[in-house]
Amino acid sequence: MKKILIVGAGGQIGSELVTYLRGIYGGSNVIAADLRPNEKLAADGPFVELDVLNQNKFAYTVHKNGVDTIFNLVALLSATGEKNPQLAWNINMGALNNSLEIAREYNCAVFTPSSIGAFGGDFPRDNTPQDVAMQPDTMYGVCKVSGELLSNYYYSRYGVDTRSVRFPGIISNVTLPGGGTTDYAVEIYYAAVKGEKFVCPVRDVYMDMMYMPDALRAMVELMEADPAKLRHRNSFNIASMSFTPDIIYNEIRKRIPEFEMTYRVDPVKQGIAESWPNSLDDTCAREEWGWKPQWDLSSMTDDMLEAIRKKNL
Ligand code: AKB
């Protein structure tokens, strides 16, 4: 990776990935692109206002800057996707299709995250294997499975170096997520620090989660991995922790005993959460490129509370 373009850079993952990659590869080698202007991302490196569905402008940006790696982070998430499935398909698949076509033309590697949302239907909920039938119930999941297949196709048919992980819910303290089923696990920390009662939209359901520093490291380690060792490409199960709302609530209460949580279940989010794995088996990622998480619920909770307190909200 020498010249990197991150599309969808203004989102929850992108806004931190830009900083992380600039720290590794140098500010001028990491171009951030987003639909909307973003002063923060433009402050310490190149920034392009880009609608990824505009294939000509996307291709021009890659060509003009000699880009060799594209991180495609454009996506409508699971809960938003259910409000407007056609829009979710057009954006999620349009961004991926353009990324792959441009990568084919300009010889780029492509990283596109898949998700625990790719699973659905009848499959083992606990320790969900890497390779299992995937019949997702959401448009987000349909896009993720289609994206995995399309990315593998571009690799086998055209030799495009496509790689991906199935992200759990990502927990972070820089940019808020939006429209996801796992968003509660970020929002709960903000409520706790602000001294507010948290109203949780899902109940008694385990979902895999991951702290952002592990997610950032996973993307770089996979993209830097020796291709000869990869038996899978799109997409690897990765895991670090799995909990229910009660479990994360009690972890926060160990530090803030007066914190209160109540439930107002959102049937759409609850249904989605129940259709996803309780926990993933990430053996293949561990064996093929050395994946190993560094954060657990307790260390993440300490770090999240400290970081959010510093924001003086
Ligand atoms: C969502 O909840 O939709 C996402 C995801 C797990 O992919 N955070």
Side-chain angles (χ1 to χ4, degrees), residues 219-239:
M219 287 185 269
V220 171
E221 286 178 4
L222 175 58
M223 293 310 279
E224 292 286 4
D226 177 357
K229 298 205 170 119
L230 301 181
R231 281 189 301 107
H232 295 84
R233 280 184 165 262
N234 305 282
S235 178
F236 283 94
N237 283 3
I238 57 170

Side-chain angles (χ1 to χ4, degrees), residues 77-78 115-116 140 167-169 179-182 276:
L77 297 186
S78 54
S115 161
I116 51 172
Y140 179 66
F167 272 138
T181 305
T182 57
W276 287 356

Side-chain angles (χ1 to χ4, degrees), residues 163-186:
R163 306 182 189 193
S164 171
V165 296
R166 293 178 183 138
F167 272 138
I170 304 295
I171 297 174
S172 66
N173 52 58
V174 174
T175 304
L176 283 169
T181 305
T182 57
D183 293 3
Y184 90 86
V186 177

